[in-house]
Amino acid sequence: DGGITQSPKYLFRKEGQNVTLSCEQNLNHDAMYWYRQDPGQGLRLIYYSQIVNDFQKGDIAEGYSVSREKKESFPLTVTSAQKNPTAFYLCASIGFRASYGYTFGSGTRLTVV
Amino acid sequence: DAKTTQPNSMESNEEEPVHLPCNHSTISGTDYIHWYRQLPSQGPEYVIHGLTSNVNNRMASLAIAEDRKSSTLILHRATLRDAAVYYCILSLSNAGGTSYGKLTFGQGTILTVHP
C-alpha cells in the first residue's frame, strides 16, 4: 500500500545531541512537509520541499535542518540548537494533481532526557 | 498567508448531523479549502477539499460560500469515531492549479460526540 512512513515512532535524545527523523513516501508525491505539534496545540510548519534538492523554511525552522536528495525521502534533523525539541513531529506529502489532499505520516514523538 | 478561524469546540449527539464552520475572509482566488481531522497521537487524516463548488465524498460534504469567505464541513450522521480535532486549512495553489506551497494549520475545532 502507498503511504508515508515515519521512523522511529518514539525517540529519546540527550541534551546536546543531534537526532534525525526519517520520512519516506512511496506515493510519488512532489512536495513534502515537516510539522511540529506540542500538546493541545495545532501543527506548526518547520520546513517544506516542493522538488528534489530544494526546500524552504517554514514558521519555526530555527534549530532544524532538512535535505531532499531523493523524491521519496525528506529527513529532518533536530540539532542541539533547538532548545525545546520535545514534541510530536509529523511529515506530510502531496502530489502534483492534489486530488486527494495531503497525506500525513503517523508521527514521531521526540523526548529529550 | 491567509488565515482560518474556527470555533474551539463543538458537541453533537450520535446519529445527528454536524456542521463545522470555518471563516477565511482573506482567502485568495487560487486557495483550496482543505479539511483534516486528527485523533490523539496520530497524524491528521484527509477529509475533503474544494475550490469553489460544494463537494461530497464518502466521509463528508463541504459547503463553500459563494464569496468563498467561509465554508462548512458537514458530517451527515455523527458517530463516536468522528470525535476528533477538525482543521480547516487553506492551501496555496500554483499557476497550474495544483496545490503546493505552505499548508498552515490553526488550532482546529474539538468535536465531541455524545452517545
Side-chain angles (χ1 to χ4, degrees), chain A residues 1-6 23-29 32 72 91 93 103-106:
Chain A
D1 288 339
I4 292 184
T5 301
Q6 289 189 242
C23 178
E24 303 277 333
Q25 53 98 359
N26 60 3
L27 300 164
N28 198 33
H29 282 176
M32 298 185 73
E72 58 269 23
C91 181
S93 70
T103 301
F104 284 82
S106 57

Side-chain angles (χ1 to χ4, degrees), chain A residues 30-31 33 35 37 40-43 45 48 50 59 88 90 94-102 104-106 109, chain B residues 1 3 34 36 38 40-46 49 87 91-92 94 96-107:
Chain A
D30 303 278
Y33 302 77
Y35 291 90
Q37 187 172 36
Q41 303 296 313
L43 283 69
L45 181 64
Y48 64 105
Q50 299 187 61
D59 302 314
F88 188 48
L90 287 157
I94 190 167
F96 181 74
R97 295 180 64 183
S99 299
Y100 301 104
Y102 293 74
F104 284 82
S106 57
R109 188 166 299 280
Chain B
D1 297 334
K3 302 296 183 186
H34 287 246
Y36 293 80
Q38 186 180 25
S41 298
Q42 295 187 24
E45 173 189 30
Y46 169 80
H49 79 295
Y87 294 100
S91 175
L92 179 67
N94 63 19
T98 58
S99 191
Y100 277 80
K102 295 176 67 173
L103 187 67
T104 302
F105 284 74
Q107 293 297 102

Side-chain angles (χ1 to χ4, degrees), chain A:
Chain A
D1 288 339
I4 292 184
T5 301
Q6 289 189 242
S7 60
K9 190 171 180 65
Y10 298 96
L11 185 59
F12 297 90
R13 188 196 94 169
K14 293 182 179 180
E15 288 197 29
Q17 282 184 337
N18 293 352
V19 290
T20 297
L21 283 58
S22 171
C23 178
E24 303 277 333
Q25 53 98 359
N26 60 3
L27 300 164
N28 198 33
H29 282 176
D30 303 278
M32 298 185 73
Y33 302 77
W34 273 106
Y35 291 90
R36 168 183 173 138
Q37 187 172 36
D38 293 287
Q41 303 296 313
L43 283 69
R44 292 185 290 168
L45 181 64
I46 305 173
Y47 269 98
Y48 64 105
S49 167
Q50 299 187 61
I51 56 173
V52 174
N53 293 323
D54 186 51
F55 47 82
Q56 288 78 41
K57 292 182 179 180
D59 302 314
I60 55 165
E62 186 175 351
Y64 300 97
S65 66
V66 293
S67 63
R68 187 86 186 277
E69 297 177 1
K70 299 185 296 183
K71 187 176 183 179
E72 58 269 23
S73 179
F74 191 41
L76 173 74
T77 297
V78 184
T79 74
S80 57
Q82 171 50 239
K83 298 307 178 187
N84 185 22
T86 295
F88 188 48
Y89 290 87
L90 287 157
C91 181
S93 70
I94 190 167
F96 181 74
R97 295 180 64 183
S99 299
Y100 301 104
Y102 293 74
T103 301
F104 284 82
S106 57
T108 292
R109 188 166 299 280
L110 173 63
T111 303
V112 174
V113 295

Side-chain angles (χ1 to χ4, degrees), chain B residues 38-108:
Chain B
Q38 186 180 25
L39 296 171
S41 298
Q42 295 187 24
E45 173 189 30
Y46 169 80
V47 177
I48 200 166
H49 79 295
L51 186 60
T52 55
S53 304
N54 294 344
V55 184
N56 299 296
N57 65 21
R58 62 176 181 81
M59 292 181 69
S61 295
L62 175 61
I64 302 173
E66 194 168 337
D67 63 6
R68 298 206 334 122
K69 293 185 177 181
S70 65
S71 61
T72 301
L73 178 70
I74 302 166
L75 306 178
H76 296 285
R77 292 179 63 192
T79 69
L80 297 178
R81 288 178 291 181
D82 291 324
V85 180
Y86 285 79
Y87 294 100
C88 166
I89 302 140
L90 301 182
S91 175
L92 179 67
S93 301
N94 63 19
T98 58
S99 191
Y100 277 80
K102 295 176 67 173
L103 187 67
T104 302
F105 284 74
Q107 293 297 102

